[in-house]
Amino acid sequence: MDRTTQLTARRTELTGPVRTSGSPLAPGAGEIVRSAPDTSEPDVYDPAAYPAASVRTAGPVRTAGPARSAASLHLRAARVLADNWTGASTVPSRGLYPHQWSWDSAFISIGLRHLSPLRAQTELETLLGAQWGDGRIPHIVFNPSVPLDAYFPSPDFWRSSTAGRAAGAPRTVQTSGIVQPPVHALAAWLVHLSDPGLSRSRGFLSRVYPHLAAWHRYLLHRRDLGGGGLVSVVHPWEQGMDNSPTWDEPLSRVTPAPARSFRRADLDHGAAEDRPTDLDYGRYVRLATDYRDGEYADGRGEFAVEDPAFNALLIASEHALARIACELGAAGTARHTRAERLTAALVDRLWDPAEGMFFCRDVRTGDLVPERSVAGLIPLLLPALPRDIAAALVRTACGPHFGLGDTTRLVPSYDLTGEAFDPHRYWRGPAWFNTNWLLERGLRLHGERGRADALRDAALRTADTSGFAEYVDPYTGEACGALGFSWTAALALDLLHEPHEPHELDEPHGHGVSPMGIGTFRHE
């Protein structure tokens, strides 16, 4: 099946290899194969297939307007995912983001598993089908049926099949050359847990495991640019929080590309005052151009930053990959050990005890970047985080810089007291649903059940009243960016269901299990 058919055929399930002809697999990776449609499964987009009684919630959904049932919210979230489904993957939004994004698909699959475990598996399989030979999972997989001018940077900018040839880029699938946070193994494990029988019958984990292992090898071996054991990002887009003030200082060394050399398609869909400035965008383009012209070789660019959220998600996914290995009959001990070693490196290199949070480290200068971003709270997700550090992170989240449970509805993306704070500008203050989902899980993991429940209710209420917005004003919940955003809908679905219960495969030795199913509930 060619790529165009794969991405545009509605209601078509996997029936052949995802890997396109001539595309090398990542080292040690197995084929991702497709199975015939499961006709016994209800239509994921049919409201009649999901009566109110089927929605298991941990409590009522309280909205700011007229009361709406959890079942109603469930069905409207499902409709968002229906509208953004292409046949083999889900776009973040039809207008602003018309292709497949890497960490979006991971979060989307976590929510989609509550509607259709088969579709959730397909979401991840489609993404992994575009993996490069060196193991990297590109941050965008382009839909060839979308016009080039619908999104920038477009496939003709990245030139993946030519500029990425030495790194093993697919020959017939167009992708970007940079990556995004490694949420994928965590997503794959949670998707498996939603229907282990289906997963085993399709060989889902046995097929995705080699791809995920190659992805982690790439990050750990090619991206330890600081030499301290942590992964560096080489572009702000890789960390996912594209326009954070955290990047201002490292980006100041980068000469921006001339404004006349590119056209910003994002301004066709959003207000300029809510988007990155032209100066910042010029620097993004310059970094991406230099990376491309260097054939996507790592370690040569002016920008290299160790980010706490990126590394925390890698650690969480290492724990998940250990669970997957155990499910497949192998020992996961080495991966758990690696995850705990990475946790120690994270604390050693990025923790600031005086400030009570994690900071980015600029690898080129060796200095911590003194900007308080929500990225510095995300390590709360980790099961082996020392008790005193977890407690300090909770205090910081609830304090004046982020206002959790006090001044804000949802945790903002940036310090409320910072000079660069803007409640509406992209990642410079607005609240995002994926980061709040991660924090809700982290709070629950470290015994902060009351705060986790309150954040869960606030996230559901805000997703509901904002029309599943891309991001919101952290004070008012006012919608910003695209509406009907896929990961907002998907993570609302996940929050609607009861917190993840311990599964017998999570912890075979009887220790406590994190609510995310990623590791032992243990404090050092």
Side-chain angles (χ1 to χ4, degrees):
M1 179 183 290
D2 64 35
R3 188 67 175 176
T4 304
T5 304
Q6 175 188 344
L7 287 172
T8 58
R10 305 279 302 182
R11 309 295 305 280
T12 302
E13 301 299 344
L14 297 181
T15 56
V18 167
R19 183 168 65 95
T20 55
S21 176
S23 300
L25 282 170
E31 292 279 358
I32 291 189
V33 297
R34 308 180 181 194
S35 64
D38 181 358
T39 55
S40 65
E41 187 178 55
D43 187 344
V44 67
Y45 308 128
D46 179 8
Y50 298 95
S54 71
V55 183
R56 303 186 308 277
T57 64
V61 178
R62 295 183 288 276
T63 62
R68 305 192 207 190
S69 70
S72 172
L73 181 59
H74 178 103
L75 295 176
R76 284 180 289 110
R79 179 51 56 188
V80 169
L81 296 178
D83 291 343
N84 291 337
W85 175 253
T86 68
S89 64
T90 310
V91 298
S93 72
R94 287 286 179 180
L96 185 55
Y97 306 103
H99 302 286
Q100 184 179 23
W101 260 258
S102 173
W103 77 327
D104 289 72
S105 278
F107 287 121
I108 288 164
S109 70
I110 289 171
L112 192 57
R113 68 192 174 119
H114 299 295
L115 299 173
S116 166
L118 179 59
R119 298 283 174 94
Q121 292 176 29
T122 301
E123 184 79 38
L124 294 172
E125 290 167 343
T126 300
L127 178 68
L128 293 175
Q131 186 174 26
W132 289 28
D134 65 2
R136 81 181 75 191
I137 298 174
H139 99 295
I140 302 175
V141 180
F142 290 105
N143 182 341
S145 68
V146 173
L148 288 178
D149 62 358
Y151 182 81
F152 179 83
S154 50
D156 57 339
F157 171 88
W158 295 104
R159 304 173 198 164
S160 61
S161 59
T162 54
R165 184 177 298 143
R171 298 175 188 174
T172 58
V173 180
Q174 295 300 311
T175 76
S176 65
I178 60 175
V179 302
Q180 277 189 324
V183 198
H184 311 88
L186 172 59
W189 179 240
L190 294 179
V191 167
H192 165 78
L193 290 180
S194 67
D195 191 338
L198 175 67
S199 174
R200 291 166 185 148
S201 69
R202 296 187 70 242
F204 171 64
L205 292 182
S206 63
R207 289 182 290 110
V208 300
Y209 180 85
H211 293 266
L212 296 170
W215 168 221
H216 286 207
R217 280 198 302 274
Y218 165 77
L219 292 173
L220 292 167
H221 295 168
R222 303 287 185 89
R223 289 297 192 89
D224 181 10
L225 304 181
L230 296 182
V231 173
S232 293
V233 296
V234 299
H235 196 292
W237 290 340
E238 292 198 315
Q239 192 266 0
M241 304 177 194
D242 308 6
N243 194 38
S244 171
T246 297
W247 314 129
D248 291 354
E249 185 177 324
L251 278 176
S252 66
R253 298 189 297 268
V254 178
T255 302
R260 64 182 180 277
S261 67
F262 60 92
R263 176 188 172 276
R264 294 182 58 179
D266 63 316
L267 298 181
D268 295 339
H269 303 278
E273 60 268 23
D274 290 350
R275 304 292 298 174
T277 65
D278 286 341
L279 176 60
D280 286 334
Y281 219 92
R283 286 173 169 148
Y284 303 154
V285 172
R286 171 68 68 188
L287 281 175
T289 300
D290 290 349
Y291 195 39
R292 177 200 68 198
D293 293 348
E295 297 184 325
Y296 298 110
D298 294 312
R300 301 176 182 174
E302 297 176 84
F303 184 97
V305 176
E306 294 172 351
D307 173 77
F310 194 103
N311 280 280
L313 290 170
L314 174 62
I315 294 166
S317 279
E318 269 293 302
H319 281 301
L321 211 53
R323 300 298 176 209
I324 294 172
C326 290
E327 161 68 15
L328 296 176
T333 306
R335 291 200 176 277
H336 279 312
T337 301
R338 182 181 297 120
E340 295 196 3
R341 186 170 66 247
L342 288 168
T343 301
L346 185 73
V347 172
D348 179 60
R349 291 184 63 79
L350 305 185
W351 174 247
D352 186 330
E355 298 294 338
M357 68 180 302
F358 291 87
F359 289 100
C360 288
R361 183 177 294 277
D362 186 339
V363 171
R364 297 302 177 225
T365 66
D367 298 328
L368 292 179
V369 180
E371 297 285 357
R372 297 180 183 89
S373 160
V374 69
L377 303 177
I378 299 301
L380 191 62
L381 179 71
L382 301 178
L385 200 65
R387 185 184 299 276
D388 60 328
I389 292 180
L393 286 175
V394 173
R395 288 195 299 271
T396 300
C398 297
H401 299 294
F402 296 96
L404 174 63
D406 183 15
T407 58
T408 57
R409 290 194 180 194
L410 296 178
V411 177
S413 52
Y414 179 66
D415 182 3
L416 297 169
T417 69
E419 292 184 8
F421 174 78
D422 184 329
H424 288 176
R425 192 180 284 277
Y426 205 63
W427 289 109
R428 299 180 84 85
W432 292 70
F433 289 89
N434 64 329
T435 55
N436 277 270
W437 180 87
L438 291 167
L439 290 174
E440 190 269 352
R441 293 313 199 223
L443 288 167
R444 201 172 297 283
L445 166 64
H446 290 284
E448 296 285 345
R449 182 171 181 175
R451 288 190 170 101
D453 287 345
L455 182 55
R456 169 192 175 274
D457 287 347
L460 287 171
R461 183 167 61 251
T462 307
D464 183 19
T465 58
S466 71
F468 302 102
E470 182 181 0
Y471 52 100
V472 298
D473 183 311
Y475 290 117
T476 67
E478 175 188 349
C480 302
L483 300 182
F485 199 70
S486 289
W487 80 23
T488 304
L491 297 177
L493 283 170
D494 194 60
L495 290 172
L496 274 171
H497 288 251
E498 293 177 348
H500 175 65
E501 294 298 329
H503 188 279
E504 63 180 355
L505 297 175
D506 278 336
E507 186 50 67
H509 303 298
H511 298 296
V513 180
S514 82
M516 300 189 70
I518 59 173
T520 57
F521 181 48
R522 181 180 61 78
H523 294 291
E524 294 177 340

